[in-house]
Amino acid sequence: MEEKIEQLAAECGNEIAAADSENALYAVRVKYLGKSGLISELMKGMKDLSPEMRPVMGKLVNSARASLETRFTEKGKELHDKELAARLAAEKIDITLNEDTPVGCLHPLTAVRKRLVDFFVSMGFDVMDGPEVETDYYNFEALNVPKDHPARDMQDTFFLGGNLLLRSQTSASQVRYMETHKPPLKMISPGRVFRNADDATHSPVFHQLEGLVVDKGITMCDLKGILDDFARHFFGKQTKVRFRPSYFPFTEPSVEVDVSCSICGGKGCKICKGTGWIEILGAGIVNRKVLRICGIDPDEYTGFAFGFGIDRIANIIHGIPHIKLLYENDIRFLEQFR
């Protein structure tokens, strides 16, 4: 009996050493240590031994089983590590940079919009989004543009019927913001707008960014300070800003805002059409009627508003001659911004 135990243990040890996979090792384990395994069968035969020999044989069998269990564990870890390493090597992904692979980038409009938003957020402005399908009230009436007002002719609007339209300006978001926030307030509203215009400098779909500040004692000087910082940040530290009188129904007084041409330094070139100046936005002091419509006392609070085309800012910064280039998705054009 003792010799048989030693023989089985030796044979099992040899098969453990020869196993080349976890599955093969498991098969050896079942063969010798399973419920019906060869060593387990020895335990069943102990009933035929004398009472004096049973404890001795039981100790030998248990010792052999414990020794084999240790060898199975060690061999199992060895095979597991080996198979894992092989699998990882087979599934390895080369993450080194291939310089020949084209690298994408943000669309110039998206990149400029992100820069604009980051700039105004750094100055404490909240960002407000609004619906692109707007009501006549928010797009016109609440901005002091009642029905049949001549200023509506300035914006060729896409009407949808049922008092709905595609917003022609993001100024509608200013009204919504003033209805739900009490002064003092600072907000911007970037987004798509729609107008029935289509030529070299206009698109039926374009992007605007509106800004609004309302507080006690706000003046045109505060507006000039904000726009000076904006212009120098985007067009260069030497950029100058000038105001020209204009008209917008929702601001009074109103101004058109020009910046000195960063290309020619104000001397005159094709970009500025020889004037040395480039018009970038409209602005003004918020009309008292608009404040009153939004539930703000115009005798206690004043404010300024400004709005510009994000597309136009992108065109100026990158020297893009035609607004349509921003929407055609020509890969030859977009590759220049990588």
Side-chain angles (χ1 to χ4, degrees):
M1 185 75 170
E2 184 177 352
E3 292 178 359
K4 190 172 183 179
I5 293 173
E6 292 178 354
Q7 181 183 355
L8 286 177
E11 291 175 357
C12 183
N14 292 334
E15 292 190 36
I16 290 173
D20 58 359
S21 69
E22 289 185 277
N23 288 336
L25 184 66
Y26 178 75
V28 175
R29 184 185 187 90
V30 171
K31 177 180 177 181
Y32 287 92
L33 300 183
K35 186 177 291 187
S36 301
L38 297 176
I39 292 179
S40 299
E41 289 294 327
L42 289 179
M43 298 295 289
K44 298 177 182 177
M46 291 182 63
K47 65 180 185 297
D48 300 326
L49 298 176
S50 64
E52 297 81 10
M53 290 299 295
R54 288 175 188 171
V56 176
M57 290 299 106
K59 185 176 181 180
L60 289 173
V61 172
N62 287 333
S63 177
R65 176 185 286 275
S67 175
L68 292 174
E69 287 282 9
T70 300
R71 295 189 65 178
F72 273 117
T73 300
E74 292 174 351
K75 185 66 174 181
K77 184 178 185 308
E78 176 189 332
L79 291 173
H80 175 77
D81 292 345
K82 181 179 178 181
E83 292 184 13
L84 178 61
R87 188 163 64 249
L88 291 176
E91 297 174 356
K92 183 175 68 172
I93 299 174
D94 184 3
I95 60 172
T96 56
L97 177 65
N98 183 353
E99 296 183 356
D100 296 329
T101 301
V103 179
C105 66
L106 292 177
H107 189 281
L109 269 179
T110 304
V112 170
R113 170 174 168 156
K114 185 177 184 302
R115 284 183 59 194
L116 289 167
V117 170
D118 289 347
F119 171 78
F120 286 107
V121 167
S122 72
M123 301 187 75
F125 284 74
D126 291 336
V127 181
M128 168 74 177
D129 194 11
E132 293 181 349
V133 176
E134 191 55 275
T135 66
D136 186 272
Y137 172 78
Y138 285 106
N139 196 78
F140 289 121
E141 293 184 37
L143 292 168
N144 194 35
V145 188
K147 288 181 172 57
D148 300 323
H149 193 288
R152 292 202 180 200
D153 294 336
M154 298 165 60
Q155 302 178 15
D156 295 323
T157 310
F158 291 103
F159 288 95
L160 304 177
N163 203 40
L164 295 177
L165 49 84
L166 295 180
R167 67 179 180 184
S168 60
Q169 54 196 355
T170 50
S171 304
S173 299
Q174 297 181 4
V175 177
R176 292 182 177 274
Y177 191 85
M178 284 190 283
E179 286 182 342
T180 56
H181 295 74
K182 295 181 179 180
L185 54 86
K186 298 168 71 176
M187 62 81 72
I188 57 170
S189 177
R192 288 194 304 178
V193 295
F194 309 84
R195 296 184 189 178
N196 188 15
D198 189 12
D199 55 44
T201 58
H202 298 86
S203 171
V205 181
F206 59 103
H207 299 77
Q208 276 190 343
L209 186 146
E210 300 276 344
L212 173 72
V213 175
V214 177
D215 201 350
K216 295 180 179 179
I218 294 293
T219 68
M220 191 72 83
C221 292
D222 299 304
L223 172 62
K224 183 69 159 54
I226 289 282
L227 296 182
D228 278 345
D229 287 345
F230 161 75
R232 285 193 292 266
H233 181 80
F234 280 89
F235 305 113
K237 294 182 179 180
Q238 306 303 317
T239 303
K240 298 178 181 179
V241 174
R242 75 175 183 183
F243 285 178
R244 289 181 290 107
S246 186
Y247 168 77
F248 303 108
F250 34 84
T251 55
E252 180 60 41
S254 304
V255 293
E256 295 281 1
V257 181
D258 303 332
V259 295
S260 56
C261 180
S262 58
I263 305 300
C264 65
K267 297 178 181 179
C269 64
K270 290 192 301 182
I271 301 298
C272 62
K273 299 178 181 178
T275 65
W277 296 90
I278 299 176
E279 178 187 329
I280 59 168
L281 60 89
I285 299 299
V286 180
N287 194 301
R288 291 171 58 88
K289 293 182 180 179
V290 175
L291 291 176
R292 189 175 290 111
I293 290 172
C294 296
I296 297 175
D297 185 356
D299 294 324
E300 184 177 2
Y301 293 99
T302 54
F304 65 75
F306 58 87
F308 52 80
I310 298 176
D311 317 64
R312 181 161 179 76
I313 300 299
N315 286 357
I316 295 171
I317 290 175
H318 296 297
I320 300 171
H322 199 305
I323 192 173
K324 297 290 181 62
L325 291 171
L326 293 170
Y327 298 99
E328 292 174 345
N329 288 327
D330 188 326
I331 194 66
R332 296 168 299 177
F333 170 75
L334 297 176
E335 280 180 339
Q336 301 176 60
F337 301 93
R338 286 199 309 192

